[in-house]
Amino acid sequence: YQRRVHGGLMKKELCTFSGAPVHPGHGVRYVPCISVQSTKPVLPFINYKCLHAFIAKKNPRKIRWTILYRRLHKKGVQEEVHKRRTKKVKKVQRAYVGADLEVISQKKAQRSAISQAAREAALKEQAARKAKQAATAKAPAAEKKLRAKLQPKAPIAKPVNVKGKGR
């Protein structure tokens, strides 16, 4: 709940007991003295009636004028209006000046055949490219392995223990 006042936003709070909105500048605030705490909860109430009912530990679900009671017992809730289902629009092909239905259907079939042939050609081209890449990638890899086997391995230098020297 928010309301604009002079460019800023004023927040509406909900009454802790009844659930009614408490507008800015209205209502009662209560800080319970349960224990010594640095951050005590500040509870907003719409009026003293709600505050005293809260202090008396009344159950707001059993008190008829609270919003919690009304929600629980479905008071004042309007029944949902059933939406009418809209009929699905059926597409109908119609003839127009210069073209009969037969001519239109022939052109449509021709377009689909052309696009399918183009798709198949593209797939074949892609498969050929992949095969070519695989063939060129295998040759250098085999060549590198052969070179690695033929080259002698360099000796690994061992660390030298320098304890006791220079004293």
Side-chain angles (χ1 to χ4, degrees):
Y1 296 141
Q2 294 179 346
R3 185 178 134 212
R4 286 196 174 275
V5 175
H6 302 293
L9 287 173
M10 299 290 282
K11 262 192 170 181
K12 283 192 221 172
E13 296 176 313
L14 290 178
C15 175
T16 306
F17 184 75
S18 69
V22 180
H23 293 273
H26 294 267
V28 184
R29 294 184 170 279
Y30 174 67
V31 181
C33 296
I34 300 166
S35 63
V36 180
Q37 293 177 339
S38 62
T39 56
K40 293 180 180 178
V42 178
L43 306 173
F45 293 95
I46 193 133
N47 54 20
Y48 280 103
K49 179 181 177 181
C50 292
L51 173 64
H52 293 305
F54 178 81
I55 292 170
K57 295 186 178 179
K58 301 283 185 190
N59 188 353
R61 288 167 194 83
K62 291 184 180 178
I63 297 174
R64 292 183 152 225
W65 52 267
T66 62
I67 291 174
L68 288 169
Y69 175 91
R70 295 184 67 76
R71 270 195 207 132
L72 188 69
H73 294 85
K74 295 176 182 143
K75 304 286 181 188
V77 178
Q78 294 176 349
E79 290 183 26
E80 291 181 23
V81 179
H82 292 288
K83 284 187 175 180
R84 291 181 181 174
R85 290 187 181 176
T86 54
K87 292 179 181 177
K88 288 186 178 179
V89 179
K90 295 178 182 175
K91 286 190 176 182
V92 179
Q93 191 71 44
R94 291 185 179 175
Y96 51 88
V97 177
D100 292 347
L101 277 176
E102 298 162 7
V103 175
I104 294 170
S105 59
Q106 282 176 359
K107 283 185 180 178
K108 204 180 240 184
Q110 199 175 28
R111 274 191 227 127
S112 63
I114 291 168
S115 63
Q116 193 166 2
R119 194 178 304 122
E120 286 174 2
L123 286 172
K124 282 180 184 177
E125 185 183 336
Q126 196 175 21
R129 240 188 269 145
K130 280 187 180 178
K132 189 177 179 183
Q133 268 186 339
T136 56
K138 284 180 185 177
E143 200 174 298
K144 282 182 184 178
K145 282 183 184 178
L146 212 129
R147 282 185 190 167
K149 282 183 182 179
L150 293 175
Q151 286 181 350
K153 291 185 180 177
I156 299 170
K158 294 184 180 179
V160 179
N161 192 358
V162 199
K163 281 188 181 176
K165 289 189 178 180
R167 285 192 182 192

